[in-house]
Amino acid sequence: TITSAAAVNINPAEGSAIVLDGTISVDAGVVTGATSITSGNLTIADGSITDTDGAISFGDENLTTTGIVSAEQLTSTDDLTVADQASIDGTLTLATGSITDSGGAISFGNENLTTTGIVSAEQLTSTDDLTVADQASIDGTLILANARITTSAPTTTIANYN
């Protein structure tokens, strides 16, 4: 037992380390051999970093927290699941896949946008056929350049409201 009212300095010879309990080694500020380190509410043990409330955990190599996870760059080699809401401040790039909600209301399957809601665009350009399954409402001017309007209905009404 060493007791002192002041700091106790242990300075091993250069290239040597301090060994505690025959297991824990301290060399140039690096601690090795410890199976658990506790500081205040934070405990590092068995590959997990936890606080006394269990708010941070790496159980089974999965990070879970009751707080916010932020990263400069986040990469997933498998599925990325967000249980509540994800906020992206920048560009979302999908190499493959789709954007869907749990009800299937928004989908980009086979590069086709489908939704149970309303699709609106400031400017819409189609390089192929544009199909409207129900009703189209145009609040402005419709310009057809080298094109035609066709219908499979028995009658077609085109009204001029000028």
Side-chain angles (χ1 to χ4, degrees):
T1 302
I2 299 173
T3 305
S4 172
V8 176
N9 294 316
I10 302 173
N11 297 308
E14 190 171 320
S16 297
I18 299 169
V19 178
L20 305 172
D21 219 11
T23 303
I24 299 171
S25 175
V26 180
D27 187 11
V30 178
V31 178
T32 57
T35 57
S36 177
I37 299 173
T38 301
S39 176
N41 292 341
L42 186 65
T43 300
I44 302 171
D46 301 321
S48 294
I49 301 172
T50 57
D51 71 9
T52 55
D53 295 329
I56 303 169
S57 174
F58 288 94
D60 297 326
E61 298 179 358
N62 298 313
L63 170 64
T64 56
T65 181
T66 56
I68 294 173
V69 176
S70 61
E72 181 65 29
Q73 185 173 13
L74 180 63
T75 301
S76 174
T77 57
D78 200 358
D79 296 341
L80 175 63
T81 302
V82 178
D84 191 8
Q85 179 178 345
S87 219
I88 298 170
D89 183 14
T91 302
L92 171 65
T93 303
L94 295 175
T96 59
S98 63
I99 299 173
T100 58
D101 78 359
S102 60
I106 302 170
S107 176
F108 290 93
N110 295 327
E111 298 181 0
N112 298 312
L113 170 63
T114 57
T115 181
T116 55
I118 295 172
V119 176
S120 61
E122 182 67 29
Q123 187 175 28
L124 179 63
T125 302
S126 175
T127 57
D128 200 355
D129 296 340
L130 177 61
T131 303
V132 178
D134 190 10
Q135 179 179 340
S137 177
I138 299 171
D139 184 14
T141 304
L142 172 64
I143 299 172
L144 299 175
N146 300 319
R148 65 177 178 238
I149 297 175
T150 59
T151 181
S152 60
T155 59
T156 301
T157 305
I158 298 177
N160 184 349
Y161 293 104
N162 283 335

